[in-house]
Amino acid sequence: MIAFLRLIGLVLVVELIFYALIWVYIRSLRREELEKEWDRRHPERAGPGPERAAFVRRSMLGFSKTLRARLVGLVLVLPVVAIVVIIVIVNYN
């Protein structure tokens, strides 16, 4: 049982690292898309500016909530559930 708990602990640490890396990467991709969209919609005000920063900030609020929920399910919960199912199937059948 102790080996199982150590395995789950190690997996969770690795998953948290991957979670953080994926979160930063996907957020930066979305932010870049929004900046390009602003530049496309407002060619006369293209480039860094307070209006563009406000647009990106407002648009990222909802995206962060949905991204966090999806990543928690895919990166943190799914692998642990898969490991537990595999261990149960192998040990008890």
Side-chain angles (χ1 to χ4, degrees):
M1 186 66 170
I2 296 295
F4 174 70
L5 293 176
R6 287 165 77 195
L7 172 68
I8 295 299
L10 181 63
V11 167
L12 285 175
V13 168
V14 171
E15 287 176 349
L16 287 172
I17 292 169
F18 276 112
Y19 174 84
L21 292 174
I22 293 170
W23 187 75
V24 168
Y25 177 70
I26 292 176
R27 243 179 94 78
S28 70
L29 288 178
R30 178 66 178 153
R31 186 175 196 82
E32 190 173 324
E33 283 179 25
L34 289 169
E35 289 171 350
K36 286 180 182 177
E37 182 179 334
W38 173 267
D39 291 343
R40 185 180 45 80
R41 285 185 185 177
H42 305 93
E44 70 283 349
R45 292 182 281 171
E51 293 123 355
R52 182 171 119 175
F55 168 75
V56 170
R57 192 177 326 107
R58 279 192 318 265
S59 300
M60 288 298 290
L61 289 176
F63 181 74
S64 292
K65 292 177 186 174
T66 60
L67 175 65
R68 187 171 293 130
R70 285 182 279 164
L71 281 180
V72 165
L74 291 174
V75 176
L76 296 177
V77 176
L78 193 62
V80 172
V81 170
I83 290 171
V84 169
V85 168
I86 290 169
I87 289 174
V88 168
I89 289 172
V90 168
N91 287 328
Y92 297 109
N93 282 339

